[in-house]
Amino acid sequence: MTHWEGNPYRRPNSPFWHIVFEDAAGIVRRRSTKTRDLRLAREMLADQLRAVERTRAGHVDRYAATRSQPVARLIDEYKAHLDASGAVARYVRGTIRQIREFVSFAEVTTLASIAVADADRYLERIRAKRSARTRDHYATALRTFGRWLVRTGRWDHDPFQGLASRTANRDKHRVFRRLSFRYEEAERLVEAAWARFEAERARGGTATHDHGESVRDRQVLYWFALTTGFRAKECASIRWEDLTLAHGKPAVRLAGQFTKNGDDALVPLQPFVAEAMARMRTRRSAHHM
């Protein structure tokens, strides 16, 4: 077959099949099918002709534009919606990344090619590598995207309808109450560090030149963590210059990069902890002199 013959037809210097048809207004349209498969090109021509007949009969496809729109563009529009609604930047980045990872996994091109079974397989893969909570975050990102499509009139149904956004948990009705240490319990914990050192030294498991300075420092750090409530990474971020020990109101400053709201925090210290920190600093200074 030569170029320009038949429908679908080939154009010179083009690897794809093209189709020609009259739209509902009687205007001749020529379009590339973007495929080298003649069977697919014929199916696209038939779909286009049926769409023209429906339009002429008064049946307008409200979702015609979205039906052919690349799903990547819809994700960009969803991201713009989240940004405009004032969502936290970290949440927006995570949500969009999770949706795009699914699109890449399932090789989705348009909304019509989304299958809930593919989403289930994708979440099973996430769960195999990550926690149940992380799996639920991914599922929620997909569900919120699907609901946004329906709410904004871009699609007639939620493509992720039926996708479970929460992992089944047989203990979900159980209530766990958090209990803090009483002072006596905290004191026993701190004293246990020194008791262990004494026991190891009695058995000969500790070097004779070790006078327990590191254990004393550890006890001070235990008290610091117990009385401030700082997490391990927050404790590790503290430097001596962050401590105010010499004045009447001892306190510790936690830099904003480690707090939830991003602002510096000034946390008061118990007087006995401040005194222990001061003695610890004196010991360390003397040791390095």
Side-chain angles (χ1 to χ4, degrees):
M1 185 177 68
T2 59
H3 297 300
W4 306 101
E5 293 182 0
N7 191 19
Y9 64 93
R10 286 283 183 84
R11 297 183 63 178
N13 302 321
S14 175
F16 303 124
W17 289 100
H18 290 67
I19 58 177
V20 57
F21 60 94
E22 281 190 4
D23 64 12
I27 300 175
V28 176
R29 305 288 185 181
R30 297 180 183 272
R31 291 179 182 171
S32 170
T33 62
K34 302 296 183 183
T35 180
R36 296 180 174 89
D37 190 322
L38 178 58
R39 181 181 59 84
L40 292 178
R42 286 171 176 166
E43 290 179 359
M44 295 176 68
L45 174 61
D47 289 341
Q48 191 66 63
L49 293 176
R50 282 194 293 269
V52 171
E53 290 301 321
R54 286 195 299 269
T55 303
R56 287 174 176 171
H59 301 290
V60 179
D61 184 2
R62 290 182 52 198
Y63 308 102
T66 308
R67 200 178 303 279
S68 60
Q69 191 172 14
V71 71
R73 188 177 303 171
L74 291 167
I75 296 174
D76 290 338
E77 292 177 3
Y78 181 53
K79 179 180 182 301
H81 160 75
L82 293 177
D83 290 333
S85 62
V88 177
R90 182 178 178 183
Y91 166 79
V92 175
R93 287 195 303 271
T95 300
I96 298 303
R97 174 180 55 80
Q98 291 163 359
I99 298 172
R100 285 174 175 161
E101 286 180 7
F102 162 72
V103 168
S104 176
F105 169 82
E107 298 181 352
V108 172
T109 55
T110 61
L111 290 181
S113 61
I114 294 177
V116 176
D118 289 337
D120 281 326
R121 289 192 301 108
Y122 170 67
L123 295 177
E124 287 175 3
R125 192 184 72 163
I126 295 296
R127 181 65 185 95
K129 299 179 180 179
R130 311 288 291 277
S131 68
R133 184 176 181 181
T134 300
R135 179 262 176 214
D136 292 346
H137 286 168
Y138 276 76
T140 300
L142 297 177
R143 288 299 307 275
T144 52
F145 176 55
R147 287 193 289 267
W148 172 80
L149 291 169
V150 176
R151 189 174 64 252
T152 57
R154 287 174 167 82
W155 205 232
D156 60 342
H157 67 280
D158 180 357
F160 300 103
Q161 184 69 38
L163 184 67
S165 59
R166 289 185 179 273
T167 302
N169 185 355
R170 64 182 180 181
D171 293 329
K172 64 181 180 180
H173 299 301
R174 296 177 62 186
V175 177
F176 298 90
R177 188 161 58 105
R178 293 185 177 182
L179 298 176
S180 60
F181 272 169
R182 294 192 298 272
Y183 180 82
E184 295 79 5
E185 293 173 327
E187 193 173 34
R188 286 201 299 270
L189 172 65
V190 175
E191 290 175 352
W194 186 262
R196 179 177 178 180
F197 168 74
E198 292 285 2
E200 290 181 350
R201 186 165 60 176
R203 292 196 303 266
T206 303
T208 55
H209 64 273
D210 189 348
H211 299 291
E213 300 298 330
S214 61
V215 180
R216 291 191 179 92
D217 290 349
R218 196 184 316 145
Q219 288 180 300
V220 174
L221 295 178
Y222 285 170
W223 277 123
F224 179 83
L226 287 166
T227 55
T228 60
F230 285 172
R231 298 177 177 85
K233 288 185 178 180
E234 294 170 342
C235 290
S237 71
I238 301 299
R239 300 292 181 265
W240 286 114
E241 52 267 25
D242 297 325
L243 298 171
T244 302
L245 305 175
H247 302 291
K249 294 182 178 180
V252 55
R253 186 187 69 86
L254 182 63
Q257 67 187 95
F258 300 103
T259 60
K260 290 185 177 180
N261 60 8
D263 297 330
D264 290 356
L266 191 65
V267 179
L269 287 175
Q270 294 286 344
F272 78 94
V273 176
E275 292 175 6
M277 296 290 290
R279 290 195 298 270
M280 174 180 170
R281 186 172 190 179
T282 301
R283 287 197 308 271
R284 289 192 168 190
S285 299
H287 177 73
H288 290 292
M289 287 181 62

